[in-house]
Amino acid sequence: MTAPWWQTAVFYQIYPRSFAASRPSPTGDLAGIAARLDHLAWLGVDALWISPFYPSPQADFGYDVSDHCDVDPVYGDLADFDGLLAACHARDLKLLVDLVPNHTSDQHPWFQAAQSSRDDPKRDWYIWRDGSPDTPPNNWRAAFVHTPAWTWDDATGQWYLHLFLPEQPDLNWANPEVVEAMHGVMRFWLDRGVDGFRIDVVHGLGKAPGLPDDPEGTTLPHATLNDTAENHEIIRGLRRVVDAYPGDRLILGEVYLLDTERVATYYGHADELQLAFNFPPLYTPWKGRRWRDQLADTERWIEARGGWPTWVLSNHDNPRHRTRYGSEARARASLFLLLGLRGSPVLYAGEEIGLEDAHIPPDRVVDPGGRDGCRAPVPWTGDPDHGWGVTDPWLPWPPEPDVRNVAAQVADAGSIVHLYRRLLAARKASPALQLGDHAPVETPDGVVAWRRVGPEGGGDRVVAVNMGAEPARLDVAGRVVVASDGAGEGEPFGGTLAGDSAVLIEP
Ligand code: GLC
């Protein structure tokens, strides 16, 4: 049996506001993405996930959707979307859209109707509770705003639930009409030809009956704790929708529970998510021992139940790993984790040119969740407008855009973007790296190393990442295929790995 496409694919996340603009504009658009696809094809990624571009008041920059089946005029229109999808498929790139099923915007017609009266037929599409205006129905905390997850609606005299901003009321997935409506949204995009969905807060959908309090004294938002039995039947329903279409359509879920054992349960028995984000590695510091623990957890919980892991180090919700790890050498070496470990990697636009988070002065802050730095626009050229047609985009440029831009790096064979390209090509050429099993390789403490075993026998690869500052000995004989610092590629491996560096070896 051949593996489904999403097992061998390398995914690339695009935050549409910050990727590229097709006309002079402080924000990006869908036609801007289409115009840059050649860069992505040159780079060698296989599938794109585009963060929300739907009509939205932008209280959470698109994750507050007011119409799930259209394009916000800021980003273009449905014809632009169809053009982008066709342009992706013409280049053999898959395309995932971002499904946001846990909540809508408070400006969505569904919520407007629900809020209009207690008797409105859509009232029960959201989660309302009686009470007095000074005591919320339970102790759940909202994400980002450090307030209760409930807002009192004066006009109708009830509380409504929102795990995120008050402008993002939670849908009631216990209501079959909501389930049917959201399945309809999925079919709308599947019928247009998308290859699947990244699903936002998929572990948030099913609320426990009675909405029991979170543990007393917890300061964590309920959105990081909502791990319910109800979720699993809901997710099986989502899976049945995509499975009714040909071509291995994918659901890749954001399961933001910081526990790999719990994340693993969302693979179900091959009947829930095909892929789940697992964030504990993203929060793991640059330390060999800590990373070895992450690899062991992934094997013990995800692989042991037949799940296919994912690997991600940066996205639109967290400081970029180049910024967290503190050096380009480490950013380069960490690519060998993403592309060398068993599973599907998800890259975040701009990491291939080693972007750091932008510095955001207080008067430029726009996100209530403090995530502006990693969302800064991608500089495409060294010109003053960096390829955007305007010099002052919606967020400040990331550091050093004059040199750290796509054009300058593509022109420099020693730059990080060429490392991405070489390692992506090496992965594509190696069945062992794409699909092979893995086995640990003995190493000193600061080094993480593993062997990927060719599925047909032969063709093994060894990957080693030295997270220590000092050079380390590595007892592996073979040819260096790719090195994070470019040293010795094509030559026999000399047995020493420099500090904060990584290597791919063909034994
Ligand atoms: C997810 C998204 C994040 C968004 C939140 C609410 O965590 O990744 O950006 O703010 O859901 O939709």
Side-chain angles (χ1 to χ4, degrees):
M1 203 182 92
T2 54
W5 65 269
W6 45 262
Q7 283 192 325
T8 52
V10 175
F11 292 81
Y12 183 94
Q13 179 194 357
I14 289 179
Y15 195 69
R17 229 178 151 74
S18 296
F19 188 68
S22 65
R23 76 277 181 246
S25 169
T27 53
D29 55 21
L30 296 182
I33 299 172
R36 298 292 181 180
L37 290 183
D38 287 340
H39 166 69
L40 302 179
W42 173 85
L43 193 61
V45 298
D46 306 292
L48 309 184
W49 146 37
I50 307 183
S51 281
F53 48 75
Y54 317 111
S56 163
Q58 311 287 341
D60 190 16
F61 295 102
Y63 284 95
D64 50 324
V65 177
S66 56
D67 179 352
H68 294 90
C69 299
D70 205 348
V71 175
D72 194 291
V74 165
Y75 299 117
D77 57 23
L78 281 170
D80 292 328
F81 177 81
D82 291 339
L84 172 60
L85 182 59
C88 286
H89 287 168
R91 289 168 178 78
D92 248 345
L93 288 167
K94 305 282 189 190
L95 182 62
L96 306 186
V97 295
D98 204 321
L99 184 72
V100 188
N102 180 66
H103 45 264
T104 66
S105 163
D106 62 350
Q107 303 303 307
H108 196 295
W110 299 344
F111 188 72
Q112 301 267 290
Q115 199 180 19
S116 68
S117 134
R118 286 199 190 198
D119 303 325
D120 188 89
K122 289 221 165 46
R123 182 72 170 182
D124 186 51
W125 283 40
Y126 294 83
I127 300 174
W128 300 90
R129 286 292 179 275
D130 290 329
S132 74
D134 41 82
T135 317
N138 68 13
N139 72 353
W140 294 2
R141 313 285 300 168
F144 310 137
V145 279
H146 309 292
T147 63
W150 297 92
T151 289
W152 177 257
D153 181 55
D154 237 351
T156 58
Q158 280 190 315
W159 294 91
Y160 69 85
L161 178 70
H162 51 87
L163 298 190
F164 295 90
L165 304 177
E167 295 90 343
Q168 293 167 294
D170 275 49
L171 285 162
N172 177 17
W173 276 78
N175 182 334
E177 291 174 13
V178 168
V179 176
E180 205 26 64
M182 204 51 75
H183 288 183
V185 170
M186 295 173 80
R187 291 189 196 102
F188 175 86
W189 293 104
L190 290 164
D191 289 341
R192 288 196 112 79
V194 303
D195 301 288
F197 304 92
R198 177 268 188 186
I199 306 185
D200 194 57
V201 205
V202 76
H203 63 291
L205 303 181
K207 272 65 174 190
L211 310 181
D213 274 344
D214 284 331
E216 206 181 319
T218 188
T219 52
L220 294 172
H222 185 74
T224 66
L225 302 168
N226 194 78
D227 182 21
T228 66
E230 285 69 22
N231 280 335
H232 298 280
E233 180 53 33
I234 293 171
I235 295 173
R236 283 192 287 273
L238 304 177
R239 177 67 180 271
R240 286 192 291 270
V241 174
V242 290
D243 279 353
Y245 284 76
D248 287 323
R249 311 287 173 109
L250 170 68
I251 51 176
L252 157 59
E254 182 201 26
V255 183
Y256 197 91
L257 300 167
L258 297 181
D259 176 340
T260 302
E261 180 180 359
R262 299 310 311 156
V263 170
T265 64
Y266 287 80
Y267 287 84
H269 302 279
D271 55 357
E272 296 188 31
L273 302 173
Q274 292 111 319
L275 294 177
F277 278 115
N278 179 43
F279 291 114
L282 187 150
Y283 295 112
T284 298
W286 189 247
K287 294 220 175 336
R289 226 171 333 108
R290 298 286 300 276
W291 266 91
R292 274 203 285 269
D293 290 346
Q294 295 300 328
L295 306 194
D297 272 2
T298 303
E299 184 178 358
R300 175 173 338 128
W301 301 120
I302 296 179
E303 295 185 64
R305 67 182 292 149
W308 187 252
T310 62
W311 298 99
V312 60
L313 291 176
S314 287
N315 62 25
H316 65 297
D317 288 331
N318 294 284
R320 287 178 176 276
H321 64 280
R322 163 70 182 82
T323 296
R324 298 198 311 273
Y325 295 159
S327 75
E328 178 163 315
R330 290 178 176 182
R332 284 174 174 250
S334 62
L335 182 63
F336 290 66
L337 297 167
L338 288 168
L339 299 188
L341 288 167
R342 184 166 189 265
S344 297
V346 186
L347 312 179
Y348 178 48
E351 70 172 73
E352 77 273 23
I353 57 169
L355 285 188
E356 290 180 73
D357 277 22
H359 170 69
I360 312 290
D363 65 332
R364 297 292 302 273
V365 169
V366 290
D367 174 38
R371 298 162 294 179
D372 294 325
C374 63
R375 298 174 174 182
V378 173
W380 288 93
T381 71
D383 305 322
D385 71 353
H386 301 300
W388 285 71
V390 298
T391 52
D392 201 15
W394 75 291
L395 285 171
W397 302 110
E400 303 180 290
D402 297 345
V403 289
R404 200 165 281 286
N405 60 67
V406 175
Q409 294 219 6
V410 168
D412 170 6
S415 73
I416 185 170
V417 81
H418 284 273
L419 172 69
Y420 268 70
R421 186 166 187 253
R422 290 200 303 283
L423 198 54
L424 280 160
R427 181 185 156 99
K428 195 154 285 177
S430 162
L433 283 179
Q434 291 192 310
L435 290 169
D437 270 331
H438 59 96
V441 170
E442 280 294 313
T443 58
D445 218 27
V447 179
V448 189
W450 61 96
R451 175 182 286 260
R452 297 294 303 278
V453 182
E456 311 283 328
D460 286 11
R461 295 287 182 273
V462 171
V463 187
V465 182
N466 182 3
M467 298 188 185
E470 301 302 321
R473 289 291 305 166
L474 186 69
D475 194 15
V476 176
R479 185 184 69 94
V480 174
V481 184
V482 183
S484 67
D485 55 9
E489 288 182 4
E491 296 165 18
F493 178 61
T496 304
L497 195 54
D500 289 335
S501 81
V503 70
L504 170 67
I505 299 170
E506 180 179 356

